[in-house]
Amino acid sequence: MYLVRHGETDWNAQRLIQGHSDIPLNIRGREQAKRLAARLKETPITQICSSDLQRAFHTASAVADVLGLQICQHVELRERYYGDWEGKDFRIIHEQYPDFDPWTDTESKYNIETYSDMQQRGIACLTNIIRESSAEHVLVVSHGGLINAMLHHMSNGLHGTGKTKLVNTSLSHVQYQKETWVVHNVNDGTHLDDA
């Protein structure tokens, strides 16, 4: 299974929290998606799954068009829901909300989905995709926060949240073997090297 973070949006460039806000790819994001698709053209992917948010779906669509595949959309692959924080600037969020750190606090405030709930929903969705699919190579296009949370779980904290800053359209290769996740490669963005 390949996990891909969606392409860039204007909110990425402005460092605004996206969460469940349905933001389109910007020009650079569409180019990143094209480069990803060109890189995966010869990869034996037989199934594509995506978050239903357009920034992920349009990234997946670039690959689907090249491979001639349909996309299965999953609401469970959405980014973390950031409630009252959505659309706010990362750089000033701690000044406005000094009483809460959503990455370490276990309770929810400001209508923000807990980290644990997000991580569990993502892992459950991936596990269901694997169990219900006959495809050997599945591409999953989602969001940085969710992918990092899943990688953190899969690697017992070696990768992911607090360790890895995922590049837009980067590939992470994981495998599900005997009820266990194995992480082979994380954050591969070599298709963007000359950009």
Side-chain angles (χ1 to χ4, degrees):
M1 176 178 280
Y2 299 95
L3 306 177
V4 174
R5 181 185 179 190
H6 63 77
E8 184 178 277
T9 70
D10 285 337
W11 282 28
N12 282 131
Q14 297 169 32
R15 296 186 46 85
L16 302 178
I17 294 177
Q18 297 176 92
H20 283 201
S21 300
D22 202 8
I23 312 303
L25 296 175
N26 62 17
I27 293 169
R28 184 171 183 199
R30 289 191 297 273
E31 177 60 29
Q32 291 167 337
K34 285 180 191 175
R35 287 172 179 251
L36 173 68
R39 176 174 180 188
L40 295 176
K41 186 176 183 177
E42 302 301 322
T43 305
I45 292 166
T46 52
Q47 182 177 349
I48 299 177
C49 299
S50 172
S51 157
D52 66 331
L53 297 176
Q54 64 179 315
R55 59 193 185 267
F57 181 76
H58 291 157
T59 302
S61 294
V63 179
D65 289 347
V66 168
L67 298 179
L69 297 172
Q70 298 295 314
I71 302 168
C72 300
Q73 294 183 64
H74 298 269
V75 173
E76 299 86 359
L77 291 174
R78 284 185 175 190
E79 180 60 281
R80 184 177 188 181
Y81 180 63
Y82 279 99
D84 299 350
W85 287 17
E86 296 205 9
K88 297 195 181 298
D89 190 319
F90 272 109
R91 295 167 288 204
I92 60 172
I93 202 96
H94 290 292
E95 294 171 20
Q96 292 179 346
Y97 300 92
D99 63 323
F100 180 60
D101 181 351
W103 294 274
T104 58
D105 287 359
T106 57
E107 293 184 24
S108 179
K109 286 187 181 179
Y110 309 111
N111 300 308
I112 298 171
E113 179 180 20
T114 67
Y115 176 84
S116 176
D117 286 348
M118 170 193 58
Q119 185 181 62
Q120 288 173 15
R121 110 173 118 77
I123 290 294
C125 184
L126 290 188
T127 304
N128 286 337
I129 289 169
I130 291 292
R131 288 181 177 159
E132 295 172 5
S133 175
S134 60
E136 188 173 338
H137 300 285
V138 179
L139 179 75
V140 174
V141 183
S142 188
H143 308 270
L146 180 62
I147 293 171
N148 262 333
M150 294 186 298
L151 288 171
H152 191 268
H153 171 81
M154 293 170 180
S155 69
N156 294 316
L158 183 63
H159 301 289
T161 307
K163 306 271 184 172
T164 309
K165 181 172 175 17
L166 294 172
V167 176
N168 288 107
T169 70
S170 64
L171 286 161
S172 295
H173 181 215
V174 300
Q175 189 173 17
Y176 193 62
Q177 298 177 327
K178 299 178 183 174
E179 306 294 314
T180 303
W181 289 98
V182 178
V183 178
H184 295 291
N185 191 13
V186 173
N187 201 31
D188 179 353
T190 53
H191 51 286
L192 304 171
D193 281 352
D194 60 346

